[in-house]
Amino acid sequence: MKLPDAKEIIAKRAAKELKDGYVVNLGIGIPTLVANYIPEEVEVFLQSENGIIGMGPAPEPEKGDPNLVNAGGQMITVKPGAAFFDSSLSFSIIRGGHVDVTVLGALEVDQEGNLANWIIPGKLVPGMGGAMDLVVGARKVIVAMEHTAKGKPKILKRCTLPLTGIRVVDMIITEMGVFEVTDKGLVLKEIAPGTSVEDIKKVTEADFIIDKNLRIMNI
């Protein structure tokens, strides 16, 4: 089952994980949309590997500045007080443990919290970016992705693609639900409105535990 506006649902839910004062790195794709749903009363500092801290929401169509782009090459806005610096300092921020949360997309994630998001063997990849640094440097790693790809599960018992990081994922947010990765395995904490646990089981290869306080996704 795939709900309408899946990407927006995922981004809205992921934005609720960001707290005042956090330094946050958003990956390309769905994670970029998270910037559009951060509540006005919550001030976070959006960081990008190419050397920016203080990004704002995505610019309106045709109003972006091509000289202002994130690590994925997408045009951005910046807030007053934003800072620009070189990649050396940018990766020092990441590797130094100064990023509170990173929100990343994924090709696959598994029930042990392993993540594969940088390459499909045989396909051209422009570069692996900073994901490998982010998954070990950030204090919390959230995977924000659609639940399936062409109808096939993306939450697996074991990743089949080359890994970005081992046991690095803390939370998985899809349009169908929210999982936490625990020592006991995946725990389904929330389900989207109009979705049932049975719906999720049908499109999830991984084993998961249903939280005793399972609630409706807050979006």
Side-chain angles (χ1 to χ4, degrees):
M1 178 179 179
K2 183 177 179 180
L3 299 174
D5 302 318
K7 294 180 181 179
E8 302 297 328
I9 291 171
I10 297 164
K12 286 181 180 178
R13 178 59 188 83
K16 294 184 181 300
E17 293 298 314
L18 308 184
K19 308 301 182 188
D20 209 32
Y22 274 8
V23 175
V24 179
N25 184 288
L26 301 177
I28 61 175
I30 292 174
T32 303
L33 300 176
V34 174
N36 299 333
Y37 296 105
I38 300 171
E40 290 185 1
E41 68 273 16
V42 176
E43 183 177 8
V44 300
F45 303 91
L46 297 181
Q47 185 262 358
S48 182
E49 299 98 292
N50 57 326
I52 307 168
I53 193 164
M55 293 186 296
E60 296 180 18
E62 301 181 0
K63 290 189 177 180
D65 181 343
N67 292 307
L68 291 178
V69 297
N70 61 20
Q74 299 166 310
M75 287 190 280
I76 60 169
T77 63
V78 291
K79 293 182 176 181
F84 301 87
F85 35 82
D86 64 13
S87 295
S88 175
L89 179 57
S90 187
F91 276 84
S92 294
I93 291 171
I94 296 169
R95 295 172 184 174
H98 303 292
V99 173
D100 294 289
V101 177
T102 183
V103 184
L104 300 170
L107 297 167
E108 296 175 345
V109 61
D110 70 27
Q111 60 194 37
E112 295 183 349
N114 300 315
L115 171 66
N117 78 344
W118 73 280
I119 191 172
I120 297 175
K123 292 195 174 183
L124 179 65
V125 177
M128 65 179 68
M132 292 178 182
D133 295 90
L134 285 162
V135 295
V136 296
R139 295 190 179 98
K140 183 172 183 178
V141 177
I142 299 174
V143 166
M145 66 175 190
E146 291 184 270
H147 206 96
T148 60
K150 298 180 180 178
K152 295 183 178 179
K154 295 176 69 177
I155 305 176
L156 307 175
K157 292 181 182 294
R158 177 77 66 173
C159 288
T160 62
L161 296 171
L163 294 180
T164 305
I166 298 173
R167 298 178 184 269
V168 292
V169 177
D170 297 295
M171 176 177 279
I172 305 166
I173 299 173
T174 78
E175 75 277 23
M176 301 187 76
V178 178
F179 297 85
E180 283 188 2
V181 184
T182 73
D183 293 339
K184 295 180 180 178
L186 292 184
V187 179
L188 179 63
K189 305 286 289 189
E190 301 176 25
I191 58 174
T195 303
S196 69
V197 172
E198 289 306 312
D199 290 334
I200 294 175
K201 284 183 177 178
K202 289 176 183 175
V203 290
T204 306
E205 182 193 281
D207 298 322
F208 61 86
I209 301 163
I210 302 169
D211 190 88
K212 63 181 181 180
N213 296 314
L214 181 68
R215 58 186 184 271
I216 300 298
M217 209 163 143
N218 182 16
I219 51 177

